[in-house]
Amino acid sequence: MKIYPSKTKTLLWFFGVSLLILLLFYFTFDGRFKWPLLPQAYIAIAGWAIITAIYFFITLKLSYYTLEKKYLSQKKLTKEYIYEYNRIIYIDEAWSRKNKILLFVTDRGDAIYLVLDKKQVLLDEMLKRCKKLKDRESVLIQFPKVKI
């Protein structure tokens, strides 16, 4: 089963990163803000808009989760990450539902954050498929430095 992350949440992250790129483009060309804008500013803004739009649409098409029998597969552009269900020891359900970001901890003490889909099917499926879940206190005792 393929599950795509929320487009709204992805768009919000993209907006923040793309504004930083716009500032970098603008200060690379001239660095001074004048009104009316100089031609270099229009070039920087146009380049930024084109690059951001292309990268956003590519990311939406090539980023998804696949629920397999024994693991969750996360595809990000050209990379693929595998999270085995039997290695996940904690899922913060309340925080995940509130923030629409799946937070889980592996048996190595890694906290993983994944953007949820719109209907939070990924969270419900992970809760059903992960059989070795522990409570928060025992995870914090086992891994005191993990941020949950």
Side-chain angles (χ1 to χ4, degrees), residues 39-54:
Q40 294 91 344
Y42 289 111
I43 292 170
I45 292 171
W48 164 78
I50 291 169
I51 290 170
T52 301
I54 290 171

Side-chain angles (χ1 to χ4, degrees), residues 55-66:
Y55 193 66
F56 178 68
F57 289 116
I58 289 172
T59 300
L60 283 181
K61 293 296 179 193
L62 297 179
S63 296
Y64 56 86
Y65 309 112
T66 306

Side-chain angles (χ1 to χ4, degrees), residues 114-131:
L114 302 176
V115 177
L116 285 175
D117 55 303
K118 203 172 197 177
K119 295 180 181 178
Q120 298 183 359
V121 173
L122 179 63
L123 176 59
D124 297 332
E125 287 296 320
M126 291 293 285
L127 288 169
K128 278 193 259 181
R129 295 173 188 230
C130 297
K131 303 295 182 197

Side-chain angles (χ1 to χ4, degrees), residues 4-60:
Y4 290 91
S6 169
K7 291 178 183 171
T8 308
K9 197 78 158 174
T10 306
L11 181 63
L12 288 174
W13 280 100
F14 248 83
F15 184 71
V17 171
S18 64
L19 281 178
L20 291 173
I21 292 172
L22 174 63
L23 291 174
L24 178 69
F25 271 14
Y26 184 75
F27 288 118
T28 301
F29 282 109
D30 186 17
R32 295 179 301 216
F33 185 77
K34 298 178 186 176
W35 194 259
L37 294 175
L38 298 172
Q40 294 91 344
Y42 289 111
I43 292 170
I45 292 171
W48 164 78
I50 291 169
I51 290 170
T52 301
I54 290 171
Y55 193 66
F56 178 68
F57 289 116
I58 289 172
T59 300
L60 283 181

Side-chain angles (χ1 to χ4, degrees), residues 66 68 71 73-82:
T66 306
E68 301 292 340
Y71 61 87
S73 170
Q74 178 189 20
K75 179 82 170 169
K76 277 184 168 180
L77 297 176
T78 60
K79 295 181 181 178
E80 186 171 6
Y81 301 96
I82 304 292

